[in-house]
Amino acid sequence: MGVPAGAVASISVFIVKKASFLSRRPASSARTRDSLAPRQSRSKSLASVAQTWRMSYARRPDRSPKPLDKAALERLALRYVERYATTRARLRQYLARKLRERGWEGADAPEIDSLAERMAELRYVDDRAFAENKAASMGRKGLGIRRVEQALRHAGVEAQDVEAATAADENDAAESAIRFAKRRRIGPFSQEASAPETIRKHVAAMMRAGHSPSLAWQVVRLKPGEEHGFVSGQQSRNKTSPIDWEL
């Protein structure tokens, strides 16, 4: 009894599919192993990079700056006065800080004071010009004489230079007060009349900005939109507290 032709064909197809399936399994496993290989190599490469970096860092020479000597100190001074408008006091502070950071290897003690004075003689440092420019800049911002004096003293400007820089006339002081009032919307620049408590706060703000009590009250008591050209910086009253003034 012979086998039907259809059965033979079905068996042949099954055998072919089975052989194809078995032939694909090793290849799939190989691909899986191959796909894992790059991860291992990558992890090894990262470890080797980290190890190389640690070794190179350990071999890195010490890059801390060398201690200063006379020539290096002069170069620092020249570089500083070239970049900044400064004073002798600030230059001395800068050089002293550099000496603390880097140390000194000169034969003699560092002469910071004489170096600062020499820079002043060469006009690389000019305390008077610094004070005048600083005072003018602060005046344009609406700050008063007392704030200017504080800033100049903090910068190390000597008393005679401070006095010369702040020897402004009454009109300059009044103009600075008006600028401050305009920035803060006080007095003639306010939107509406202020209550007595608000007026006192405005006077206190102007006094903190360096303006005298008399000048602050002249500006603050002006009504919104009122002409302010007659405001004077003259110290006509000796009262120092805004509470003492009549509203």
Side-chain angles (χ1 to χ4, degrees):
M1 180 176 173
V3 179
V8 173
S10 299
I11 294 172
S12 300
V13 170
F14 174 77
I15 293 173
V16 170
K17 290 182 177 180
K18 185 66 174 179
S20 175
F21 174 75
L22 293 176
S23 63
R24 287 198 298 269
R25 290 187 62 186
S28 175
S29 300
R31 283 198 300 270
T32 303
R33 289 193 298 271
D34 294 340
S35 63
L36 293 176
R39 297 182 183 178
Q40 297 174 357
S41 61
R42 285 197 296 269
S43 62
K44 290 181 180 178
S45 63
L46 291 175
S48 61
V49 168
Q51 184 177 4
T52 303
W53 181 84
R54 286 194 296 268
M55 293 174 62
S56 63
Y57 185 81
R59 293 194 301 267
R60 183 178 298 176
D62 185 12
R63 296 185 179 179
S64 58
K66 294 176 58 178
L68 295 170
D69 55 15
K70 183 177 180 180
L73 192 66
E74 290 181 355
R75 287 195 297 270
L76 283 177
L78 286 171
R79 193 175 302 130
Y80 185 78
V81 300
E82 180 183 9
R83 294 182 61 185
Y84 304 104
T86 187
T87 62
R88 288 173 293 178
R90 283 187 173 178
L91 178 59
R92 287 193 293 265
Q93 294 171 1
Y94 170 77
L95 296 177
R97 178 168 59 85
K98 287 300 181 181
L99 283 171
R100 290 193 301 269
E101 293 173 354
R102 298 178 55 174
W104 177 256
E105 65 175 4
D108 301 324
E111 298 179 352
I112 295 179
D113 293 338
S114 62
L115 181 56
E117 293 299 329
R118 189 161 80 251
M119 293 294 165
E121 292 174 0
L122 296 172
R123 303 304 299 271
Y124 296 152
V125 177
D126 191 335
D127 287 14
R128 178 69 61 86
F130 175 89
E132 292 174 351
N133 292 333
K134 185 72 172 178
S137 175
M138 296 182 70
R140 288 192 294 270
K141 295 178 181 178
L143 300 176
I145 293 177
R146 286 191 297 107
R147 281 286 298 273
V148 174
E149 290 175 345
Q150 292 173 2
L152 295 180
R153 285 195 296 267
H154 181 71
V157 179
E158 295 183 355
Q160 61 269 22
D161 293 328
V162 173
E163 184 178 357
T166 56
D169 58 25
E170 298 175 3
N171 291 331
D172 291 339
E175 289 176 3
S176 296
I178 293 299
R179 291 191 189 99
F180 182 82
K182 186 175 183 179
R183 289 177 57 192
R184 300 290 293 270
R185 298 183 181 277
I186 291 174
F189 304 100
S190 59
Q191 298 296 325
E192 58 185 8
S194 301
E197 184 62 28
T198 303
I199 291 177
R200 291 191 178 93
K201 290 181 179 179
H202 289 170
V203 171
M206 293 196 66
M207 291 178 62
R208 287 193 299 270
H211 300 289
S212 66
S214 61
L215 182 56
W217 275 97
Q218 287 183 64
V219 174
V220 170
R221 295 175 68 181
L222 294 175
K223 295 180 175 58
E226 187 176 353
E227 174 62 33
H228 51 77
F230 62 89
V231 174
S232 172
Q234 185 177 3
Q235 307 295 322
S236 58
R237 303 178 70 171
N238 296 324
K239 297 179 181 180
T240 58
S241 174
I243 300 177
D244 296 334
W245 290 71
E246 298 179 359
L247 297 177

